[in-house]
Amino acid sequence: DEKAERLPKVSIEATAAAPPAAAYQAADPVDSGTSKITRRALEDRTPGNGDVIETLKILPFANFDSNQGVATQESIQDLRPANVSISGGQFYDNYFAIDGVGVNSRLDVVGIGGTNLQHYNETGGNSAQTIWLDTNLIESLTVRDSNISAQYGGFTGGVVQVETRQPSHVFGGSVTFGCTNDDLTSFKIPNATKTLLAGVEPEPPKYDKCKINATLDLPINEKVRVLLGAGRQETEMTYY
């Protein structure tokens, strides 16, 4: 009798990138009008400028200024988060909260204080939010556009709730750094605009913009953990 031949054992391992997280989680019928963007989705979709509010563009009821991103001196040097309209409301009508604490500005963000940066009697450069955080510190973003509880009262727009993440159980930290300037940017002028300019094109903006953020997780013991975070943004423009 011939002995059966035993084939060697073959192991096959396959690796693949994890699929992207769902853009957002729609609310169940009991809590209609609520959408939640998880930490994973924030990490996948937050733009390079670090503005977490811009991730709300994936929501069908969130609208942004059509002039956002236009290469003007004011737009390039603006480090504030984007203004968002929720379900047709004004950007200054929304309620912003971080871990349940309201962070809406009490200053003028629409009139003189929001438009004239050199006014003698108003604080210039005001934003609808007084505090905004780096993505590394955020666990989730919850947006309510309708069916909003009266506990959030005092506004007529939507609600943007920021929940910060819990400190890690292991010691660790992170540092993110990014810079951009006019040498790394290509400014394009539409042909129709070039025709109107008759060959006299404006000098492209000269600028340097940088940001740095750092986080540190400190597990002191089994019951006490600390999360530290700090960030800085700055821009430098050359006016002609």
Side-chain angles (χ1 to χ4, degrees):
D1 295 335
E2 296 182 1
K3 295 183 178 179
E5 182 179 358
R6 182 183 294 271
L7 298 177
K9 183 178 180 180
V10 178
S11 299
I12 300 177
E13 296 182 1
T15 58
Y24 66 95
Q25 300 173 358
D28 56 45
V30 177
D31 193 16
S32 62
T34 300
S35 302
K36 185 175 183 179
I37 304 176
T38 64
R39 176 172 175 80
R40 171 72 187 282
L42 289 173
E43 292 174 345
D44 290 344
R45 294 172 173 83
T46 299
N49 62 4
D51 184 4
V52 179
I53 296 300
E54 289 195 25
T55 59
L56 301 187
K57 290 179 179 180
I58 61 180
L59 302 176
F61 50 79
N63 298 286
F64 291 77
D65 193 333
S66 59
N67 292 324
Q68 185 190 16
V70 176
T72 61
Q73 300 279 5
E74 291 75 15
S75 175
I76 290 176
Q77 71 176 349
D78 194 349
L79 300 176
R80 299 169 297 180
N83 293 325
V84 57
S85 167
I86 298 178
S87 293
Q90 298 292 340
F91 71 89
Y92 50 81
D93 286 335
N94 300 318
Y95 175 75
F96 295 93
I98 297 178
D99 290 337
V101 179
V103 293
N104 282 60
S105 175
R106 296 182 179 274
L107 302 176
D108 178 15
V109 300
V110 182
I112 296 175
T115 57
N116 188 347
L117 304 183
Q118 300 177 356
H119 193 269
Y120 73 96
N121 196 39
E122 294 287 347
T123 302
N126 303 322
S127 170
Q129 300 170 247
T130 57
I131 299 175
W132 52 93
L133 303 177
D134 181 69
T135 309
N136 292 333
L137 297 173
I138 298 178
E139 180 64 30
S140 65
L141 213 62
T142 301
V143 183
R144 304 178 187 274
D145 69 294
S146 60
N147 192 31
I148 302 174
S149 171
Q151 66 176 319
Y152 301 104
F155 69 99
T156 56
V159 173
V160 179
Q161 294 174 279
V162 178
E163 297 294 332
T164 56
R165 69 175 179 85
Q166 294 294 318
S168 175
H169 289 276
V170 296
F171 175 81
S174 67
V175 176
T176 57
F177 177 77
C179 278
T180 182
N181 58 34
D182 52 279
D183 292 332
L184 302 174
T185 307
S186 176
F187 298 98
K188 298 181 180 180
I189 302 177
N191 291 331
T193 303
K194 289 183 178 180
T195 301
L196 294 174
L197 293 174
V200 184
E201 298 181 6
E203 187 76 17
K206 300 293 183 182
Y207 71 96
D208 289 278
K209 179 186 290 186
C210 291
K211 73 181 186 72
I212 182 171
N213 293 282
T215 61
L216 182 63
D217 292 274
L218 295 173
I220 299 176
N221 53 46
E222 294 183 356
K223 296 183 178 181
V224 179
R225 290 172 289 152
V226 178
L227 171 62
L228 302 176
R232 177 177 175 83
Q233 299 183 72
E234 61 180 27
T235 181
E236 180 178 339
M237 299 290 299
T238 301
Y239 284 89
Y240 295 91

